Amino acid sequence: MQVMQKLGMGQAVNQALREEMRRDPRVFIAGEGVGVSIHVNPMFPTHGLLEEFGPGRVKDTPVSEAAIAGLAVGAAEAGLRPVVEIMFNPFFTLASDMIVNHAAKLRYLSGGKSTFPLVVRIKSGAGFGAGCQHSHNLEAWAAHCPGLKVVMPSTPADAKGLLKSSIRDGNPVIFIEHMGLYFAPMPVPEEEYLTPLGKADIKREGRNLTVVTWSGMLGVAMGAAEMLSREGIETEIVDLRTLAPLDKETILNSVAKTGRLIVLHEATRTGGFAGEIAAVVMEEGFKHLKAPLRRVTGPDIPVPASPPLEQFYIPDENDLVRAAKEIF
Amino acid sequence: MQVMQKLGMGQAVNQALREEMRRDPRVFIAGEGVGVSIHVNPMFPTHGLLEEFGPGRVKDTPVSEAAIAGLAVGAAEAGLRPVVEIMFNPFFTLASDMIVNHAAKLRYLSGGKSTFPLVVRIKSGAGFGAGCQHSHNLEAWAAHCPGLKVVMPSTPADAKGLLKSSIRDGNPVIFIEHMGLYFAPMPVPEEEYLTPLGKADIKREGRNLTVVTWSGMLGVAMGAAEMLSREGIETEIVDLRTLAPLDKETILNSVAKTGRLIVLHEATRTGGFAGEIAAVVMEEGFKHLKAPLRRVTGPDIPVPASPPLEQFYIPDENDLVRAAKEIF
Amino acid sequence: MEVPANKKIEMLETMILSRKFSDSLAELCRIERKIPGMMILSTGQEAVGSGVCAALEPEDVIITNHRSHNHLLAKGADPRELMAEIFCKKTGCNKGKSGTLHLAVPEVNAPCTTTVVGGTLPIAVGQAFAQQYKNEPRVTVCFFGDGAANEGSFHEALNLAALWQLPVIFGCENNLYAGAQRYEEHTRVQDMARRAEAYDMPGVTVDGNYAPEVYRAAREARQLALEGRGPTLIECKTYRCRGHGESDPQHYQPGDEIRAWQEKCPIPRLGDELVSLGVIPSERIKEMESLAEKIVENAVRFAEESPYPEPHEALEDVYV
Amino acid sequence: MEVPANKKIEMLETMILSRKFSDSLAELCRIERKIPGMMILSTGQEAVGSGVCAALEPEDVIITNHRSHNHLLAKGADPRELMAEIFCKKTGCNKGKSGTLHLAVPEVNAPCTTTVVGGTLPIAVGQAFAQQYKNEPRVTVCFFGDGAANEGSFHEALNLAALWQLPVIFGCENNLYAGAQRYEEHTRVQDMARRAEAYDMPGVTVDGNYAPEVYRAAREARQLALEGRGPTLIECKTYRCRGHGESDPQHYQPGDEIRAWQEKCPIPRLGDELVSLGVIPSERIKEMESLAEKIVENAVRFAEESPYPEPHEALEDVYV
Ligand SMILES: Cc1ncc(C[n+]2csc(CCOP(=O)(O)OP(=O)(O)O)c2C)c(N)n1
Ligand SMILES: Cc1ncc(C[n+]2csc(CCOP(=O)(O)OP(=O)(O)O)c2C)c(N)n1
Ligand SMILES: [Mg+2]
Ligand SMILES: [Mg+2]
């Protein structure tokens, strides 16, 4: 029988890191404050790892995102399994040359000779009042870069299994954690398990409407699905978990069943990854579609700091219910 | 009567820069080799500007992309009209913090008090055998960042008018030039004119099929349209010209007429801007659609160097014709 | 260079105002949880912003970072509008879009504040370039921390500024910590000012807890810049007496280190000097304190009583 | 340190081979247009790669940049596979995916080459970190140009390497130009090696046209690194005798500057020394030249006769 524990996503990430570091001496972590941190909070992902693994494997770095990412690229090629952290998603920009032009491409450029098994963990998400230089969801950037895998768990249990798979994967993986999920404990199996990359998960079954979502928005989808159910609309929720490679099959099967699609994400609308889902379905599932698409996303603005403005930014249950009703 | 000249796109850009620099002393250009260059070729965009405007307004910089972009951000706020160059699109990564977290956001963060009227010119495109660290189309990144405008001309005449509008615009504009277009002279009006941002252009009318495209792929679309016409399929070609803000109206009107949509771009498929077009049409033009979407794009690989591989990468007329036939 | 008495008084005043402002925020966010987001204060570091800004003229520009309150107050920003913005209210200087972290006050030539570490430097270079281009007798000051000096942007900005001899002053506020990393855990160089040599730029290290010394260095750098002799790097050695932000328990900062630096607090240091030299009577300091208190109370009241922006206002101010 | 005679001979050999290799490419891309993409050569700069690589052991790693041919040949890469890759053929060391610019030869511990200026430095830091982590008696050398020393990545990489005392050698090939910008148009610092001080790292400037001097500096740096005493910045002053790439007319390089440096060509410089000191007879140099010529001809023939990759092979090698 599976023994369950209740963990926030940060704790689940922590457990995955701990298990992998115990298992494989090649795994090390690096980043700004991954060892000694301004947060003394067991809900945070790297809490306590310095104590267990020491400063040789838990490397606090200067505030130097390009060097952090480059460290991962070089060390991965040399046979280690780096897991580096970018503190907030907007700072992906500063690491993006190393990640996009190097981690993602150098294997290809070598004709398959060199490999770069590394993980870049990124904290993301709006909702903590810090404004647009801290909150800016850029998963669509990473998913547009061949050579990268992009993972965005929506539950602590998935986070644990997906991170362990990411660390064992032979490719560079961008692993994006929504900070809002750090503080909501949910059941996580105690034992070791791997959740495969590239497989979406149906978090709720339904026959009238498909909602494709990921990361912090799963909760919104689940809440709205309850509301819709009361009105007789049964929502199927496809949690992507991995954006690249994309599990088209699960999406298409669901749309084949329901005929209706909403994509829900927290990132801004234009150019967001909802477009990719739309295109895939319009290409390969067109005949099943009974109604127009709806995208429920952040509006095309930077994330504002003020609470009412930030709340306005973040899509919620009502937005999703409203969108659903438009297509019935 | 309009007097026409034949110019490559580089020359058209050059003319736009020259006219704007003559008109407005606040306009200056900066970048790596924008003055003294390793290219002595009048087909290149900044050729001869140093001679006319001197080193005070034509600033060669160190190889420092973040500083180049930051120079533009600071100088724009202070009342100048910077036009800076990023040599190749992949190096956008190195400038991306300054562009995305600063140029695009600082106005919003100031509550509308500060403004950043700057242009970042970026050379882009595959086809010159330099491989994926020089060829990597990242327009989808820029188009996913509220606060930026994104312009991608497909003809020299558009380039001239759009660049002049970009320089006069009050917002940060990412102006992406496909290098393949530098060397194909086409008619350009001699006199001064402004082409508005945010307006797509129908480059060919047709009633059976809409092809939405931009930048270097226009020629492929035009060629394929001829081939399809011979088979009785009349293609309407919507040249976006501006990706953000997006001219939804022109796209939707065309699809309302034809009922069929192909999006054609050179960038890699997953997460490419074709997804945005698909989503817009699926949301707002669903009832007009008679057939599935097709995307004709680069495959999900880095751009390879070897000629047969690079040719394989770049979408061509046959790819488009094949896709069109699939949906008739 | 002699530091004029009126400048010393000005610095004392802005330091006292900053401290009251910070203390009030520390209290508000601890007890009352009235303020969204992170709360990053400069308690103990006031001599830096106050010293530098006293050396500037109103038309000079500052570009500042996440630890901006002292810089902005010293540059003359309206405490009410700052406080309202920190409360994320509609009446804030940025209509609630910025909150505490990116306060922009173009009215006092503080047109952009960025919380991307190292972000201030290339932008300051751009501002200084515009000043040089327009041939204006102005300078730009850029504030950043010791941690920021390890970002690539530091390097690119200093190189370009030196190359073009731009009128910019790089003000490194070395408070001995970058987040939880102590100085020697993020770099090996003894003094950040040494890095100026890498660009053939003058670099000076000053006592960042003594405002007149900061003032003097900034004034000299400003003079050089105005003479067309380019940028200067000024490292102000000071100390972060509180945590990185108010939620940081400072567990990694040794208690006696904190106490030793508290003893070197820049406010009594300058205040006592002015009194003992007879420049001002000790009552004058009391007056400054009660004035500052009033200003801050007033600002807090204004902020508390102000409305939040309406949700749809989020859609404004993205584009011109 | 005395430079052993066999090392001097080795350096002369790899310089001669590099030169023949480059000359052949210059010819091939000028007359025959057989080679796609840019053609970037190191003619005149051979003492750098040859000097450094002679100081390395096979298990040491190099990370190189767009001007890599000399570095890779000196590290022992197979000229046939390199040439075939430069021709973008299926038999090239990277199956035609790289072409001339990003040649990766993990077999000789040159596992990644990047043409993003400044990109080599953080990656080299990562490689050196792995060496330290695994406690291997190895070092990593990173090659980059004077232009690259102005990228932010230079700064972040040197700071981190010094902080962690990583076994890395930063080999700055200062050829006086970055593209069309002459050294003093892209920085003010007299010697790039001065920048090492900004990280409390040793920095040395050597005559980059005299291979034994380069060798000596690299060997000493390697020794330091192996002793756990961290990185060294070595600036090799040399000169780009040809254009940035072969299509560059060099209009901005003064003719007498080019001629003066051609006089300082590193190959006769070392060759004459070895002959005049009686280390080798002059016929030995002729032999080296004709051997190099044969190797290069052979490589060119191999490359020309090799097939291009099949189009669909483009889809391979993205993921493991
Ligand atoms: C690019 C970037 N990386 C990381 C952070 C998170 N962060 C905010 S402040 C800070 C420490 C900065 O230290 P320092 O520059 O010394 O400034 P101080 O906080 O000491 O004033 C960090 C790492 C950030 N805001 N930006
Ligand atoms: C990030 C980046 N910016 C610009 C370029 C274009 N570029 C290629 S080589 C080069 C000059 C580099 O100069 P240097 O580092 O001195 O090397 P050298 O060519 O002299 O060997 C430039 C600007 C690039 N490849 N990468
Ligand atoms: Mg600090
Ligand atoms: Mg050079």
Side-chain angles (χ1 to χ4, degrees):
Chain A
M1 212 205 61
Q2 238 185 17
V3 184
M4 295 302 247
Q5 48 188 336
K6 278 209 144 191
L7 301 180
M9 189 184 278
Q11 293 172 296
V13 164
N14 188 277
Q15 193 162 94
L17 290 170
R18 220 178 269 272
E19 286 180 12
E20 292 304 298
M21 290 180 80
R22 287 182 187 156
R23 184 187 59 83
D24 184 349
R26 298 171 305 169
V27 180
F28 73 95
I29 69 170
E32 298 157 14
V34 296
V36 182
S37 168
I38 59 173
H39 304 286
V40 188
N41 186 336
M43 304 306 275
F44 274 67
T46 55
H47 185 81
L49 297 178
L50 177 64
E51 288 67 25
E52 176 164 352
F53 300 102
R57 294 179 69 194
V58 176
K59 308 292 296 180
D60 277 319
T61 65
V63 193
S64 303
E65 285 76 9
I68 292 168
L71 170 72
V73 173
E77 198 290 323
L80 302 188
R81 295 270 165 170
V83 183
V84 299
E85 177 179 302
I86 298 295
M87 205 182 267
F88 298 110
N89 207 334
F91 314 148
F92 180 79
T93 52
L94 291 161
S96 63
D97 168 59
M98 274 297 138
I99 295 172
V100 170
N101 290 321
H102 295 93
K105 294 176 181 173
L106 286 175
R107 172 178 172 75
Y108 191 74
L109 284 169
S110 78
K113 284 181 175 173
S114 301
T115 59
F116 299 86
L118 60 93
V119 178
V120 181
R121 291 182 41 250
I122 305 179
K123 294 194 220 149
S124 82
F128 60 113
C132 62
Q133 289 184 332
H134 284 76
S135 297
H136 189 180
N137 296 308
L138 289 172
E139 66 264 24
W141 281 27
H144 188 40
C145 296
L148 299 181
K149 295 189 175 180
V150 182
V151 179
M152 288 188 85
S154 62
T155 67
D158 282 352
K160 178 175 165 187
L162 289 166
L163 181 55
K164 288 170 65 81
S165 294
S166 300
I167 292 171
R168 299 187 194 188
D169 200 273
N171 302 289
V173 179
I174 309 303
F175 190 92
I176 305 178
E177 301 161 16
H178 194 293
M179 284 178 289
L181 302 171
Y182 284 177
F183 306 101
M186 309 241 291
V188 176
E190 272 189 13
E191 85 271 10
E192 197 175 352
Y193 58 94
L194 296 172
T195 306
L197 307 190
K199 282 297 298 167
D201 186 42
I202 302 209
K203 286 278 170 14
R204 184 184 202 281
E205 300 212 16
R207 63 197 139 66
N208 307 125
L209 168 66
T210 298
V211 171
V212 174
T213 194
W214 55 91
S215 188
M217 285 291 112
L218 176 66
V220 170
M222 296 296 270
E226 285 305 309
M227 292 160 71
L228 288 167
S229 175
R230 272 176 249 135
E231 311 202 22
I233 297 173
E234 290 305 332
T235 305
E236 178 144 308
I237 298 178
V238 177
D239 174 10
L240 283 187
R241 301 199 296 199
T242 305
L243 275 63
L246 179 64
D247 181 358
K248 291 187 193 185
E249 201 186 325
T250 300
I251 299 168
L252 291 167
N253 286 345
S254 179
V255 173
K257 179 164 75 168
T258 65
R260 286 182 164 79
L261 173 65
I262 296 180
V263 188
L264 168 67
H265 62 56
E266 190 187 288
T268 53
R269 168 172 300 238
T270 300
F273 200 68
E276 181 62 28
I277 313 298
V280 163
V281 171
M282 208 168 149
E283 283 176 322
E284 300 181 40
F286 183 74
K287 65 171 182 291
H288 301 298
L289 286 171
K290 295 183 210 150
L293 166 79
R294 283 293 174 268
R295 285 184 287 178
V296 179
T297 69
D300 281 331
I301 59 173
V303 175
S306 188
L309 305 184
E310 194 178 30
Q311 280 316 309
F312 175 85
Y313 174 89
I314 302 172
D316 66 16
E317 286 80 356
N318 294 326
D319 298 327
L320 186 55
V321 168
R322 202 175 312 116
K325 290 195 180 161
E326 283 173 18
I327 56 172
F328 272 95
Chain B
M1 215 203 60
Q2 240 184 13
V3 184
M4 294 301 248
Q5 49 188 335
K6 279 210 146 191
L7 300 180
M9 189 184 278
Q11 293 173 295
V13 165
N14 189 276
Q15 196 164 91
L17 290 172
R18 221 177 267 274
E19 287 179 12
E20 292 303 298
M21 291 179 80
R22 286 180 189 157
R23 184 187 60 82
D24 184 350
R26 297 171 307 172
V27 180
F28 73 95
I29 68 170
E32 298 156 16
V34 296
V36 181
S37 168
I38 59 174
H39 304 287
V40 188
N41 186 336
M43 305 306 276
F44 274 68
T46 56
H47 184 81
L49 297 178
L50 178 62
E51 289 67 24
E52 177 167 349
F53 300 101
R57 296 181 68 195
V58 177
K59 307 295 296 181
D60 277 321
T61 65
V63 193
S64 304
E65 285 76 11
I68 292 169
L71 172 72
V73 173
E77 197 289 325
L80 302 187
R81 294 271 165 171
V83 183
V84 299
E85 179 179 299
I86 297 295
M87 204 182 265
F88 297 109
N89 206 336
F91 313 149
F92 178 78
T93 51
L94 291 161
S96 63
D97 166 58
M98 275 295 139
I99 295 172
V100 170
N101 290 323
H102 294 93
K105 294 175 181 173
L106 287 175
R107 172 178 173 71
Y108 191 74
L109 283 170
S110 77
K113 284 181 176 173
S114 302
T115 60
F116 299 87
L118 60 93
V119 179
V120 181
R121 291 182 40 251
I122 305 178
K123 296 193 218 150
S124 82
F128 60 112
C132 61
Q133 288 185 333
H134 284 76
S135 298
H136 188 179
N137 297 308
L138 289 173
E139 67 264 25
W141 281 25
H144 189 40
C145 296
L148 300 180
K149 294 188 174 182
V150 183
V151 179
M152 288 191 85
S154 62
T155 68
D158 282 351
K160 178 175 164 187
L162 289 166
L163 182 54
K164 288 170 65 80
S165 294
S166 300
I167 293 172
R168 298 187 196 188
D169 200 273
N171 301 290
V173 179
I174 309 303
F175 190 92
I176 306 178
E177 302 160 15
H178 194 292
M179 283 177 291
L181 302 171
Y182 284 176
F183 306 102
M186 308 242 289
V188 176
E190 273 189 11
E191 85 273 10
E192 197 175 351
Y193 58 94
L194 296 172
T195 306
L197 307 190
K199 284 297 298 168
D201 186 41
I202 301 210
K203 286 279 169 18
R204 185 185 200 280
E205 300 212 14
R207 65 198 136 67
N208 307 125
L209 169 67
T210 298
V211 171
V212 173
T213 193
W214 54 90
S215 187
M217 284 292 113
L218 177 66
V220 170
M222 296 296 269
E226 286 305 309
M227 292 160 72
L228 288 167
S229 174
R230 272 177 248 132
E231 311 203 22
I233 298 174
E234 290 306 333
T235 305
E236 177 143 307
I237 299 180
V238 177
D239 175 10
L240 283 188
R241 302 201 295 200
T242 305
L243 275 63
L246 179 64
D247 181 358
K248 291 187 192 184
E249 198 186 328
T250 300
I251 299 167
L252 290 168
N253 286 344
S254 179
V255 173
K257 180 163 74 169
T258 65
R260 284 180 166 81
L261 173 66
I262 296 181
V263 189
L264 168 68
H265 62 57
E266 191 186 287
T268 52
R269 168 174 299 239
T270 300
F273 201 68
E276 181 62 27
I277 313 297
V280 163
V281 171
M282 207 169 149
E283 284 176 322
E284 300 181 38
F286 183 73
K287 64 172 183 287
H288 302 298
L289 286 171
K290 295 184 211 150
L293 166 80
R294 283 294 174 268
R295 284 184 288 177
V296 180
T297 69
D300 281 330
I301 60 173
V303 175
S306 188
L309 305 185
E310 193 178 29
Q311 281 315 308
F312 175 86
Y313 175 88
I314 302 173
D316 67 14
E317 286 79 355
N318 293 326
D319 297 327
L320 186 55
V321 168
R322 202 175 314 114
K325 289 193 182 161
E326 284 173 16
I327 56 171
F328 272 95
Chain C
M1 191 195 19
E2 224 1 272
V3 180
N6 65 325
K7 284 290 169 189
K8 287 187 179 168
I9 295 169
E10 179 188 327
M11 293 186 271
L12 184 60
E13 278 168 349
T14 63
M15 288 199 292
I16 288 174
L17 176 61
S18 286
R19 178 65 59 87
K20 294 278 176 213
F21 197 88
S22 295
D23 284 350
S24 159
L25 284 171
E27 194 65 12
L28 284 162
C29 79
R30 188 166 63 81
I31 308 184
E32 318 193 25
R33 297 218 150 271
K34 284 193 179 164
I35 303 173
M38 317 177 179
M39 182 49 60
I40 295 179
L41 304 175
S42 358
T43 314
Q45 305 179 204
E46 293 89 349
V48 178
S50 292
V52 167
C53 290
L56 301 181
E57 303 299 324
E59 57 272 19
D60 293 328
V61 171
I62 67 168
I63 306 289
T64 158
N65 65 358
H66 57 283
R67 208 175 292 283
S68 68
H69 302 171
N70 163 249
H71 310 147
L72 294 169
L73 287 168
K75 192 70 168 65
D78 176 1
R80 283 161 35 113
E81 291 193 13
L82 286 187
M83 190 62 85
E85 187 61 36
I86 293 167
F87 273 71
C88 291
K89 296 298 182 75
K90 187 184 169 76
T91 54
C93 51
N94 310 120
K95 305 183 195 163
K97 294 201 161 101
S98 155
T100 181
L101 286 175
H102 337 73
L103 299 155
V105 193
E107 303 87 318
V108 298
N109 285 311
C112 12
T113 294
T114 169
T115 174
V116 178
V117 167
T120 59
L121 294 102
I123 296 174
V125 165
Q127 288 274 346
F129 174 75
Q131 292 164 333
Q132 185 187 69
Y133 188 92
K134 295 192 263 181
N135 214 350
E136 290 171 343
R138 301 183 182 192
V139 306
T140 299
V141 171
C142 169
F143 290 103
F144 59 99
D146 50 309
N150 297 323
E151 284 280 6
S153 53
F154 168 93
H155 182 64
E156 296 190 13
L158 267 74
N159 185 59
L160 189 60
L163 182 67
W164 291 355
Q165 294 285 287
L166 299 177
V168 55
I169 300 171
F170 294 104
C172 180
E173 194 157 359
N174 182 350
N175 61 5
L176 213 58
Y177 285 88
Q181 276 57 60
R182 207 171 186 280
Y183 186 81
E184 65 275 11
E185 288 157 12
H186 69 69
T187 192
R188 265 177 76 91
V189 71
Q190 185 101 20
D191 300 312
M192 278 297 174
R194 287 289 304 278
R195 293 197 168 165
E197 298 166 27
Y199 317 100
D200 192 27
M201 181 194 295
V204 290
T205 298
V206 301
D207 179 344
N209 276 29
Y210 183 52
E213 193 175 325
V214 175
Y215 171 91
R216 199 181 296 115
R219 196 75 196 166
E220 282 167 8
R222 185 174 187 277
Q223 193 51 39
L224 273 187
L226 291 182
E227 288 167 8
R229 291 159 70 199
T232 300
L233 172 59
I234 302 177
E235 177 191 21
C236 304
K237 295 232 200 237
T238 179
Y239 188 75
R240 205 189 66 201
C241 287
R242 303 186 70 86
H244 170 71
E246 288 302 294
S247 65
D248 172 1
Q250 294 183 281
H251 52 106
Y252 50 87
Q253 284 178 263
D256 16 330
E257 183 181 275
I258 300 179
R259 278 185 297 278
W261 279 92
Q262 279 169 339
E263 306 261 295
K264 295 192 245 175
C265 179
I267 297 176
R269 179 132 166 233
L270 182 57
D272 292 352
E273 177 188 306
L274 291 185
V275 172
S276 70
L277 291 180
V279 181
I280 52 171
S282 61
E283 301 79 61
R284 178 73 188 275
I285 295 185
K286 292 269 171 309
E287 282 164 31
M288 288 181 187
E289 283 172 348
S290 62
L291 178 63
E293 207 147 312
K294 246 184 243 130
I295 291 172
V296 171
E297 273 169 20
N298 186 345
V300 170
R301 194 169 331 107
F302 175 71
E304 287 185 328
E305 288 171 0
S306 291
Y308 280 112
E310 294 297 319
H312 68 265
E313 289 175 35
L315 299 173
E316 295 165 10
D317 300 322
V318 184
Y319 292 97
V320 170
Chain D
M1 193 191 22
E2 224 4 91
V3 179
N6 66 327
K7 283 291 169 187
K8 287 187 178 166
I9 295 169
E10 178 190 327
M11 293 188 268
L12 184 61
E13 279 169 349
T14 63
M15 289 200 291
I16 288 173
L17 176 61
S18 286
R19 178 65 60 86
K20 294 277 178 216
F21 198 88
S22 293
D23 285 351
S24 159
L25 283 171
E27 194 67 12
L28 285 161
C29 79
R30 189 167 61 82
I31 308 184
E32 316 193 27
R33 299 219 148 272
K34 285 193 181 166
I35 303 176
M38 317 175 179
M39 181 49 61
I40 295 178
L41 304 175
S42 1
T43 314
Q45 306 179 203
E46 294 88 350
V48 178
S50 292
V52 168
C53 290
L56 301 182
E57 304 300 325
E59 58 273 18
D60 292 328
V61 172
I62 67 169
I63 306 290
T64 158
N65 64 358
H66 58 284
R67 207 174 293 283
S68 69
H69 302 172
N70 162 251
H71 309 148
L72 294 168
L73 287 167
K75 192 71 171 64
D78 175 3
R80 283 162 35 113
E81 290 192 13
L82 284 188
M83 190 62 88
E85 186 61 37
I86 293 166
F87 274 71
C88 291
K89 296 298 182 73
K90 187 184 169 76
T91 55
C93 48
N94 311 119
K95 306 183 194 163
K97 294 202 161 97
S98 154
T100 181
L101 286 175
H102 339 72
L103 299 155
V105 193
E107 303 88 318
V108 298
N109 285 313
C112 13
T113 294
T114 169
T115 174
V116 177
V117 167
T120 60
L121 294 103
I123 296 175
V125 166
Q127 289 273 345
F129 174 75
Q131 292 164 334
Q132 185 188 69
Y133 188 92
K134 295 192 263 182
N135 214 351
E136 290 172 343
R138 302 183 180 191
V139 306
T140 300
V141 171
C142 169
F143 290 103
F144 59 98
D146 49 310
N150 298 322
E151 285 279 7
S153 54
F154 168 93
H155 182 64
E156 296 190 13
L158 268 75
N159 185 59
L160 189 61
L163 182 67
W164 290 353
Q165 294 286 289
L166 299 177
V168 54
I169 301 171
F170 294 104
C172 180
E173 194 157 0
N174 181 353
N175 62 4
L176 214 58
Y177 286 88
Q181 275 57 62
R182 207 172 185 281
Y183 185 81
E184 66 274 13
E185 290 156 12
H186 70 67
T187 193
R188 265 176 76 92
V189 71
Q190 187 101 18
D191 299 313
M192 278 297 175
R194 287 289 304 279
R195 292 196 170 167
E197 298 166 28
Y199 316 100
D200 192 26
M201 182 193 294
V204 290
T205 298
V206 301
D207 178 347
N209 276 33
Y210 184 52
E213 194 175 324
V214 175
Y215 171 91
R216 200 180 298 113
R219 196 76 195 162
E220 283 167 7
R222 184 175 187 279
Q223 193 50 40
L224 273 187
L226 291 182
E227 289 166 8
R229 292 160 69 201
T232 302
L233 171 61
I234 302 177
E235 176 191 21
C236 305
K237 296 231 198 235
T238 181
Y239 188 75
R240 204 189 66 200
C241 287
R242 304 186 69 86
H244 170 71
E246 287 302 294
S247 64
D248 171 2
Q250 292 183 281
H251 53 105
Y252 51 87
Q253 285 177 264
D256 11 330
E257 182 180 275
I258 300 178
R259 278 185 297 279
W261 278 92
Q262 278 168 340
E263 306 262 293
K264 295 191 244 175
C265 179
I267 296 175
R269 179 130 166 239
L270 180 58
D272 292 353
E273 176 187 306
L274 291 184
V275 172
S276 69
L277 292 180
V279 181
I280 52 172
S282 61
E283 302 80 59
R284 177 74 189 273
I285 295 185
K286 293 268 172 308
E287 284 165 31
M288 288 181 187
E289 282 172 348
S290 63
L291 178 63
E293 207 148 312
K294 247 184 243 129
I295 291 172
V296 172
E297 274 169 19
N298 186 342
V300 170
R301 194 169 332 105
F302 175 71
E304 286 184 329
E305 290 171 358
S306 290
Y308 280 111
E310 296 297 320
H312 68 264
E313 290 175 34
L315 298 173
E316 295 164 10
D317 299 324
V318 184
Y319 292 96
V320 171

